[in-house]
Amino acid sequence: MKILIAGSGAMGARFGYLLKESGNDVLFVDTWQDHIDAINKNGLQRIIDGVDIGPIHIPAVKPEDVVGHYDLVLLFVKSLQLDDMMQRITPSLSEDSRVLCLLNGLGNIEIVEKYVSRDRIYLGMTLWSSGLKGPGVLNAVGSGSIEMQQVNNLESDFDAKLLTTLNDAGLNAAYSKDVIQSIWHKVSLNCVLNTYCTLIDCNIGEYGAYEKHQELTDLILNEIIAVGKKEGIEVIYDIVANNIKGVFSPEKAGGHYPSLYQDIASGRRTEIDALNGAIVKLGEKHGVETPVCKAITLMIHSKENVNDLRNN
Amino acid sequence: MKILIAGSGAMGARFGYLLKESGNDVLFVDTWQDHIDAINKNGLQRIIDGVDIGPIHIPAVKPEDVVGHYDLVLLFVKSLQLDDMMQRITPSLSEDSRVLCLLNGLGNIEIVEKYVSRDRIYLGMTLWSSGLKGPGVLNAVGSGSIEMQQVNNLESDFDAKLLTTLNDAGLNAAYSKDVIQSIWHKVSLNCVLNTYCTLIDCNIGEYGAYEKHQELTDLILNEIIAVGKKEGIEVIYDIVANNIKGVFSPEKAGGHYPSLYQDIASGRRTEIDALNGAIVKLGEKHGVETPVCKAITLMIHSKENVNDLRNN
């Protein structure tokens, strides 16, 4: 299958090399010039579970430089860059191209469907993780899985091809009717840990070490559950609360600073509008009050603004 | 008049030396040993409006070491230390001693009245400011005023004595029937600027530079106004909102990091429970929801907890 990886950072690179190794024609698409150059010059360097398994040669290009059409696009950009990326890769899509959207956060499908009809969009949620150790160097541990769904629950011949392609690459994919609920559960965890760790200025273990962390968690979860209900999505409190508590220990993610924390620390824009900001927007649509998500969204944007002020 | 300054930090030192210069018998009481030792050894060093005006000799002691009784106690401790300080200085109070409570925050009178009957308590709100440049060195600029009230609105011969004593020292005092409202207005400003600057990690000017700062401000003010109403206190939105906007410019407090920010940065406990935390408590008493104040109070306490974890 001809597969275009739109957003070839940590996750895209990991998925891309596994799909290449299992026999697909993979193209990395990214906007980070140093990363593109490093991959094209030396191949993608790979440190997997701490072991250097050597480079793999996969071409990397900017969105404008894609030649030909692709059967499948895996979307792995940050939600902030999604609209721009979709616009730039649309010429590389044929009428048969399918898109698998694996981004974190809410509101992504609404952007993708501006460029691709819903019958060609798959929505996925993955528990794989990954990291980069500088341009062109993948540094990933452990394994994961993918839960996916055709967004309109349509069936087609492509379903089996997609499943086989992903599983031949060892990506542990399965269809589900509850991907949207799984995405909301993942979003809920990120709405709590990404934001509080950033505002409190702590890692995940330190967040969990505060005796009243559950009260903080609940202030956000209660708003998400109320908004989800109006959207027809059941966000199950116990599942999310346990997922959050489950990552506090040092053996899990306790020592980890969430991605949004790292974005602020590096002066980058954050994905807050696809997390708590999306909850606020949906709350407004349904007349559900979300004051805590609103305060948190505004504080994170204010932090971005402070970064801008200090860097200019 | 025999005046005991309970809490002889920045504000207490400034008031104390002015009262000493105008002929009163002043005693500094504090718990910071280096500060006490420096004052007793070299006198209180004074840098006023940038000019070193030399030392003034005023005795400084720990609460246990007060000898005799005092006519007037000025309370300038942090609200966190108030209960402890009141307990320790109570033996120095006679039945005629009056207490003027000038602390920031809510809930202070409720602590003082555990030790002194309400007919002997005055409540004050001051616009004086002050700073310390290390132990024993006062560094203060500008001038201010005091608005004060007998907490039960009782009249007595002491009223005139107190007013004369303060004004002879140049402290610009006046009686008012609205001290409690003024205190709520000051608390409201601190509930907004102290907390957001700490969580966003910025100074006051940077807070004001974010285009949606008013939305952040309103999320807190709306909760305070609702709680104040149930307490019978009219918090006037326009006054507080204008006070807040009035300090954004660099000529005002724009470059300043609020005291709560500095407490966190120095690993100290904060006064959050006398600010947003007090609003939460009063909200619970009246059945008024205060989710934003609650989230902010918990995040600040979590920051204190992170400081403790890292320092131990």
Side-chain angles (χ1 to χ4, degrees), chain A residues 196 199-202 206 209-210 212 215-216 219 257 291-292 294-295 298-299 301-303 305-306 310, chain B residues 196 199-202 206 209-210 212 215-216 219 257 291-292 294-295 298-299 301-303 305-306 310:
Chain A
Y196 282 140
L199 293 168
I200 295 166
D201 192 5
C202 65
E206 289 167 333
Y210 173 47
K212 295 188 179 172
E215 289 185 47
L216 276 170
L219 283 166
Y257 290 84
V292 176
K294 187 174 179 190
L298 291 167
M299 280 192 270
H301 280 314
S302 181
K303 268 182 172 297
N305 189 60
V306 169
R310 294 184 183 175
Chain B
Y196 282 140
L199 294 168
I200 295 167
D201 192 5
C202 66
E206 289 168 332
Y210 173 47
K212 295 188 179 172
E215 289 184 49
L216 276 170
L219 283 165
Y257 290 84
V292 176
K294 187 174 178 191
L298 291 167
M299 280 191 270
H301 280 314
S302 181
K303 267 183 171 299
N305 189 59
V306 169
R310 293 183 185 176

Side-chain angles (χ1 to χ4, degrees), chain A residues 167-221:
Chain A
N167 282 332
D168 286 352
L171 284 162
N172 298 329
Y175 284 107
S176 154
K177 294 290 176 209
D178 300 315
V179 175
I180 293 174
Q181 186 189 48
S182 299
I183 286 174
W184 275 70
H185 284 166
K186 191 174 178 183
V187 161
S188 300
L189 177 141
N190 286 328
C191 281
V192 170
L193 293 179
N194 269 282
T195 56
Y196 282 140
C197 287
T198 303
L199 293 168
I200 295 166
D201 192 5
C202 65
N203 63 33
I204 290 171
E206 289 167 333
Y207 173 74
Y210 173 47
E211 58 172 354
K212 295 188 179 172
H213 66 81
Q214 194 65 52
E215 289 185 47
L216 276 170
T217 295
D218 290 354
L219 283 166
I220 291 180
L221 287 193

Side-chain angles (χ1 to χ4, degrees), chain B residues 285-300:
Chain B
K285 179 175 126 190
H286 296 295
V288 176
E289 295 279 329
T290 57
V292 176
C293 282
K294 187 174 178 191
I296 281 171
T297 301
L298 291 167
M299 280 191 270
I300 297 293

Side-chain angles (χ1 to χ4, degrees), chain A residues 222-237:
Chain A
N222 290 339
E223 293 184 357
I224 297 175
I225 289 168
V227 169
K229 203 169 174 184
K230 294 281 185 179
E231 282 282 297
I233 291 140
E234 189 193 8
V235 175
I236 300 173
Y237 175 87

Side-chain angles (χ1 to χ4, degrees), chain A residues 73-91:
Chain A
V73 173
L74 296 197
L75 283 173
F76 268 127
V77 288
K78 294 252 179 185
S79 58
L80 275 172
Q81 298 139 2
L82 179 59
D83 204 324
D84 179 63
M85 177 62 86
M86 282 307 302
Q87 196 172 348
R88 290 162 79 177
I89 62 167
T90 294

